Amino acid sequence: MAHRPKRTFRQRRADSSDSDSTQEPFAEPGAPREHADLGPAEEGLPSGGGRAEAAELPRRAWGRGRGRVWASSRHAARAAPRLDRGSDVPVNIPDAAFIQAAYRKRELARAQEDYISLDVKHAFTIPGMRKNTEYPESEPDDHENIIPFTPKLQTLRQKMAEETAARNEETSEDSEEDKKYQDIWEQQQMRKAVKITKGRDIDLSHSSESQTVKKFDASISFPPVNLEIIKKQLNTRLTLLQDTHRSHLREYEKYIQDVKSSKSTIQNLENSSNQVLNFKFYKSMKVYVDNLIDCLNKKIINIQEIESAMHALLVKQAMIFMKRRQDELKHESAYLQQLSRKAEMSTNRSLAIDEKTQWILEEIESRRARRRQARVLSGNCTHQEGTSSDDELSSDMIDFQKSQGDILQDHKKIFEDVHDDFCNIQNILLKFQQWREKFPDSYYEAFISLCIPKLLNPLIRFQLIDWNPLKFDSIGLKQMPWFTSIEEFIDSSMEDSKKEDSSDKKILSTVISKTIIPRLTDFVEFIWDPLSTSQTTNLITQSRMILEEHSTCENEVISKGKQDLLKPIVSRMKKAIDDDVFIPLYPESAVENRMSPHSKFQERQFWSGLKLFRNILLWNELLPEDTLQELGLGKLLNRYLITALLNAIPGPDVVKKCNQIAACLPEKWFQNSAMRTSFPQLEYFIQFLLQSARKLSTSEIRDEVKEIILILVKIKALNQAESFIEEYHLDHLKSVIKEV
């Protein structure tokens, strides 16, 4: 913005009127000219106007603040003596009329333009102001209406208020003046700009007129028109327009189709009366599933607590039996070792036995006596010592049953406050079955077959809390309510011919893989005793059923579940072979007497090892053959059983034991008719049989040789049997080989 022009005033002439000379003493040297340069406005005033205007200055300064009032009064006091000294003109005090005229002039300047005009030739009237042109007689005299030229005494609060008002008034006056001159300057700049623009428009109009004249000048010659170029341009333009038209037609047809489709959809929705019912069904199904999930999330905590308590109780019971068997074996072996030392030393001193060992031995003998008595009463006379489970009831068993009863009572209270629709598996599956029948597309698109096993997992675990697959009287999985409900749900799905490959068929196998197998694996790892034939038989039954269900639907998840089940079974059997099999070897003198403690202990341990051998081979239909041959033949038969047989005296008892070993071998292994040589793992057993047959053939007990030949034939050691018959000229036994 350009610099604003300064405000100028005319200087006062030296030869002014008398009234002017009366005002000059009020202005001191160095004071602003604004107080003294009042201009020739006083020429039109009466004779007393000079005095009235001189009196105006103190009043004007007094209205702006106390500081200025105080300064203006001081100037007036100093000016009087100078007049007296500089001239002979007397100083007169202005009368009331002069003061009133000056007051009106000041108010008019404030109200209009904030400065005193140089040319005042008319009377001024201020609205709302009382006119004092005439003074009635009732008014007081001049000496009573004295105008105060000095400020009155004021309080500090009044002084501060006056100073603030004076500063605000000065600021407002300055801003108004600045705004006024700013407007004047802007108007001048705009007038200049308008003049320049008009000049340019005139020039432009002249130039355009000249150009127009030149454009339409007939004397100018144009080049000849080439029709080919024009035709080519028109054809190009036409082609572009046609392409654009075709694209517009395609868009138009598309819009027409969209409009038709929208109209048909609207009509279908308007005509469809089942949409509201469908919406209600989906909404109710969503609410039901949300409530079901909320219920199961709250109850799963209680289910886990009861499940953990039952599992811990069963593990504790299994550990008690296992520890008792191992402690009894250790103490009995130590006792027999002490007897052997006493026999070698040939001393007559009594054997020192601690109280704990004595109590354990007495407890062992009392349990054996009770078992023998029970077998006599039942008529079982073929039982061998060492093949019993040794899990009779005791005080610990009574405590176990009491704790189990308390857990089952808490188990019944878990869902006692829940409606059947949220805890009964059959009712839950019925809800989803209705969905599948009404809206099969949305049912399968929602992958409900993947959600159902997760929803049913807590409820199935709830039913499996009191399930023990190792007990003989335990209910089978196929007889459980959850199993039958899932089977019915799957069968109803198979009735739909359009869904022959329905994903609902995998629900049962998924439940078994995700819920049953982990539960069964816990029993195998922590509770199952491989030395117990009853537990092994029951476990095999349950495992076979599970694996049969898996075989109906093969996939990666099910294959993994099968491996998760079989792997801990193999590990547990390896642990049993390492920890529970112990067959001591005593000198021949100690075992000659069949009734000696050493002989009885050795016999019991042998039959115990043979029992484990039989239990391992019971898994032949579930476990791979190479795994069973490694466990049963390699680790147990060759390492323990044959070693015990080599230490035994050849005779009918040895042949009987060999027959029991051969009876445990699965017949499936020897079904190949072309097989002439047995497995490599049976080589040690075959050599022991041939060695025993040689010893018996030279002794008086020759009838047992035929039994050995039959064992060789059974295990497909035909080449070894023929060689032995030819070597010892046992022609009457060749018929046995020919029958095979």
Side-chain angles (χ1 to χ4, degrees):
M1 183 180 292
H3 184 67
R4 182 183 300 172
K6 295 183 179 180
R7 182 177 180 181
T8 59
F9 298 93
R10 291 179 298 170
Q11 291 187 351
R12 187 180 177 88
R13 296 193 305 273
D15 52 349
S16 61
S17 62
D18 294 338
S19 62
D20 295 338
S21 63
T22 60
Q23 292 179 357
E24 288 179 1
F26 289 92
E28 292 182 356
R33 298 289 299 174
E34 189 176 352
H35 294 283
D37 297 342
L38 298 177
E42 296 92 4
E43 295 179 359
L45 294 174
S47 60
R51 292 190 299 272
E53 188 173 357
E56 168 66 16
L57 293 175
R59 291 178 60 88
R60 185 175 181 183
W62 177 56
R64 292 189 178 181
R66 185 178 182 278
R68 286 195 169 194
V69 169
W70 177 81
S72 300
S73 301
R74 201 168 44 173
H75 296 332
R78 293 175 182 175
R82 286 198 297 270
L83 289 174
D84 293 340
R85 292 192 299 268
S87 66
D88 296 334
V89 180
V91 178
N92 297 324
I93 298 173
D95 56 0
F98 184 83
I99 293 172
Q100 187 67 25
Y103 178 74
R104 286 197 302 271
K105 184 177 181 180
R106 178 175 61 84
E107 293 296 332
L108 181 63
R110 285 184 180 178
Q112 294 180 355
E113 297 179 352
D114 198 18
Y115 70 93
I116 300 174
S117 176
L118 299 177
D119 187 11
V120 180
K121 296 181 179 181
H122 58 276
F124 300 96
T125 59
I126 300 174
M129 184 176 178
R130 186 173 59 89
K131 297 182 179 180
N132 294 327
T133 56
E134 296 180 358
Y135 299 92
E137 295 179 356
S138 61
E139 291 184 357
D141 298 335
D142 292 340
H143 69 275
E144 294 179 358
N145 197 12
I146 299 174
I147 299 174
F149 290 94
T150 60
K152 296 181 180 180
L153 296 177
Q154 297 177 344
T155 62
L156 179 60
R157 185 184 299 273
Q158 292 175 348
K159 294 177 182 179
M160 293 174 65
E162 289 182 358
E163 291 177 357
T164 305
R167 285 195 295 269
N168 294 337
E169 185 177 353
E170 292 175 359
T171 304
S172 62
E173 291 177 358
D174 295 340
S175 63
E176 289 177 359
E177 289 182 1
D178 294 343
K179 183 177 181 183
K180 178 180 178 182
Y181 285 105
Q182 177 69 23
D183 295 340
I184 294 172
W185 180 80
E186 289 179 355
Q187 292 176 3
Q188 292 175 356
Q189 297 298 325
M190 292 179 66
R191 284 196 294 270
K192 293 178 181 180
V194 169
K195 291 179 180 179
I196 295 172
T197 305
K198 288 182 178 179
R200 290 181 180 177
D201 292 340
I202 294 171
D203 296 339
L204 291 173
S205 62
H206 286 298
S207 62
S208 62
E209 289 176 0
S210 62
Q211 290 176 1
T212 304
V213 172
K214 292 180 181 179
K215 181 176 181 180
F216 296 101
D217 190 0
S219 63
I220 298 174
S221 61
F222 294 97
V225 178
N226 191 344
L227 296 178
E228 294 296 331
I229 296 175
I230 295 175
K231 183 178 179 181
K232 184 177 181 181
Q233 292 177 353
L234 291 176
N235 289 332
T236 304
R237 178 63 177 168
L238 180 62
T239 303
L240 293 175
L241 291 175
Q242 289 176 351
D243 293 341
T244 305
H245 178 67
R246 283 193 294 269
S247 64
H248 290 169
L249 286 178
R250 287 193 296 269
E251 292 180 0
Y252 175 75
E253 292 176 358
K254 180 182 178 182
Y255 294 150
I256 293 297
Q257 293 296 329
D258 292 341
V259 170
K260 291 181 180 179
S261 176
S262 300
K263 288 182 178 179
S264 62
T265 303
I266 293 172
Q267 186 176 3
N268 292 334
L269 292 175
E270 290 177 351
N271 297 333
S272 177
S273 60
N274 296 326
Q275 293 298 323
V276 177
L277 298 177
N278 297 346
F279 174 75
K280 289 182 178 180
F281 175 80
Y282 285 122
K283 186 176 181 180
S284 63
M285 197 68 191
K286 181 181 182 301
V287 172
Y288 172 76
V289 173
D290 290 341
N291 294 332
L292 176 62
I293 293 174
D294 183 59
C295 173
L296 295 179
N297 287 335
K298 292 180 179 179
K299 295 300 181 179
I300 189 63
I301 300 175
N302 299 331
I303 294 174
Q304 290 176 349
E305 292 177 354
I306 300 298
E307 190 179 43
S308 300
M310 180 63 76
H311 181 71
L313 185 64
L314 294 175
V315 171
K316 181 180 178 181
Q317 182 198 28
M319 294 301 295
I320 289 174
F321 289 141
M322 187 180 300
K323 188 174 182 302
R324 186 179 70 179
R325 181 172 64 239
Q326 293 177 355
D327 290 344
E328 291 175 353
L329 179 62
K330 183 176 68 174
H331 285 85
E332 191 171 5
S333 177
Y335 170 71
L336 294 176
Q337 193 68 24
Q338 291 180 4
L339 288 179
S340 299
R341 292 199 192 99
K342 179 182 177 182
E344 291 176 0
M345 295 174 63
S346 301
T347 59
N348 295 325
R349 291 182 301 175
S350 60
L351 188 62
I353 304 175
D354 58 345
E355 295 181 359
K356 183 178 180 180
T357 303
Q358 185 66 30
W359 179 82
I360 290 176
L361 294 177
E362 292 176 358
E363 183 69 19
I364 293 172
E365 191 59 34
S366 64
R367 291 201 305 273
R368 288 173 183 165
R370 288 195 295 270
R371 288 196 295 270
R372 282 194 293 267
Q373 184 178 1
R375 288 194 294 271
V376 171
L377 294 176
S378 62
N380 185 9
C381 300
T382 60
H383 182 79
Q384 298 292 335
E385 290 285 345
T387 58
S388 60
S389 298
D390 197 15
D391 54 358
E392 290 84 1
L393 293 176
S394 61
S395 59
D396 295 334
M397 192 65 184
I398 296 174
D399 295 338
F400 165 79
Q401 292 178 348
K402 182 178 181 301
S403 300
Q404 187 180 27
D406 296 338
I407 293 174
L408 294 179
Q409 288 295 329
D410 297 336
H411 162 258
K412 295 179 181 179
K413 298 178 182 179
I414 294 179
F415 285 102
E416 64 180 1
D417 59 341
V418 179
H419 195 272
D420 288 343
D421 289 343
F422 300 96
C423 64
N424 190 309
I425 294 179
Q426 186 175 3
N427 293 349
I428 294 173
L429 293 177
L430 184 60
K431 293 281 187 180
F432 290 100
Q433 184 176 349
Q434 293 175 357
W435 185 1
R436 185 179 59 194
E437 293 174 354
K438 291 183 178 180
F439 311 102
D441 294 336
S442 63
Y443 173 86
Y444 289 105
E445 288 176 359
F447 299 99
I448 301 301
S449 60
L450 301 179
C451 302
I452 289 178
K454 297 181 180 179
L455 287 176
L456 301 183
N457 178 270
L459 300 175
I460 295 175
R461 290 169 60 183
F462 171 77
Q463 296 185 17
L464 294 177
I465 286 179
D466 59 343
W467 176 63
N468 189 346
L470 305 179
K471 294 177 62 176
F472 177 74
D473 57 348
S474 177
I475 184 174
L477 291 178
K478 291 186 176 182
Q479 287 75 37
M480 289 187 175
W482 65 266
F483 193 96
T484 55
S485 299
I486 294 176
E487 277 191 334
E488 292 175 358
F489 181 77
I490 295 175
D491 293 340
S492 63
S493 174
M494 297 299 294
E495 292 177 0
D496 189 0
S497 60
K498 297 180 180 179
K499 296 292 181 180
E500 294 181 355
D501 298 333
S502 173
S503 58
D504 290 344
K505 294 189 299 182
K506 302 178 182 179
I507 292 177
L508 183 58
S509 59
T510 305
V511 168
I512 292 175
S513 177
K514 299 296 184 180
T515 305
I516 306 302
I517 288 180
R519 175 76 170 171
L520 198 61
T521 301
D522 291 339
F523 276 94
V524 171
E525 292 180 350
F526 304 104
I527 303 173
W528 174 45
D529 182 11
L531 283 173
S532 174
T533 303
S534 60
Q535 291 186 11
T536 303
T537 304
N538 296 328
L539 182 62
I540 289 173
T541 302
Q542 300 291 347
S543 301
R544 182 179 291 109
M545 188 277 300
I546 291 174
L547 296 180
E548 286 177 356
E549 292 294 334
H550 275 60
S551 62
T552 59
C553 184
E554 290 292 338
N555 54 39
E556 294 181 0
V557 176
I558 293 174
S559 179
K560 183 178 181 300
K562 180 178 180 180
Q563 295 299 323
D564 293 340
L565 174 61
L566 298 181
K567 186 176 179 180
I569 292 174
V570 175
S571 300
R572 184 66 185 90
M573 289 191 295
K574 288 181 179 179
K575 187 175 184 298
I577 293 173
D578 296 336
D579 297 344
D580 297 328
V581 177
F582 173 69
I583 302 177
L585 299 179
Y586 297 114
E588 186 176 352
S589 59
V591 296
E592 284 180 350
N593 186 4
R594 298 286 305 274
M595 302 304 295
S596 64
H598 299 82
S599 178
K600 290 182 178 180
F601 181 70
Q602 189 181 54
E603 287 292 314
R604 284 195 298 270
Q605 292 305 116
F606 175 84
W607 289 108
S608 176
L610 184 59
K611 179 182 179 181
L612 179 60
F613 178 75
R614 183 186 301 111
N615 293 341
I616 291 174
L617 295 181
L618 288 175
W619 293 92
N620 67 89
E621 296 181 359
L622 301 177
L623 293 177
E625 291 184 3
D626 54 348
T627 302
L628 287 179
Q629 290 174 6
E630 179 185 358
L631 289 174
L633 303 182
K635 291 183 176 295
L636 186 55
L637 177 62
N638 296 334
R639 186 181 300 178
Y640 293 100
L641 300 181
I642 293 180
T643 303
L645 291 175
L646 290 173
N647 193 45
I649 300 174
D653 292 336
V654 174
V655 177
K656 181 180 179 181
K657 293 176 181 178
C658 292
N659 268 323
Q660 292 293 328
I661 292 174
C664 296
L665 297 174
E667 296 181 357
K668 182 180 178 181
W669 293 358
F670 310 103
Q671 289 180 354
N672 188 2
S673 59
M675 185 177 178
R676 304 287 297 179
T677 305
S678 187
F679 301 106
Q681 291 86 349
L682 289 175
E683 187 63 28
Y684 288 134
F685 182 58
I686 294 172
Q687 294 299 326
F688 172 76
L689 291 174
L690 294 175
Q691 181 181 352
S692 299
R694 293 188 184 97
K695 291 181 179 180
L696 293 175
S697 63
T698 57
S699 63
E700 296 179 357
I701 310 174
R702 296 184 178 180
D703 295 338
E704 305 298 334
V705 176
K706 182 179 179 180
E707 294 293 333
I708 295 175
I709 298 299
L710 291 175
I711 295 173
L712 292 173
V713 171
K714 181 179 180 180
I715 62 176
K716 292 296 181 177
L718 301 180
N719 294 335
Q720 290 87 341
E722 290 177 353
S723 299
F724 180 80
I725 291 173
E726 292 178 359
E727 180 181 358
Y728 288 91
H729 305 289
L730 301 175
D731 297 334
H732 61 283
L733 297 177
K734 291 183 179 180
S735 59
V736 176
I737 299 176
K738 291 180 181 180
E739 291 177 359
V740 177

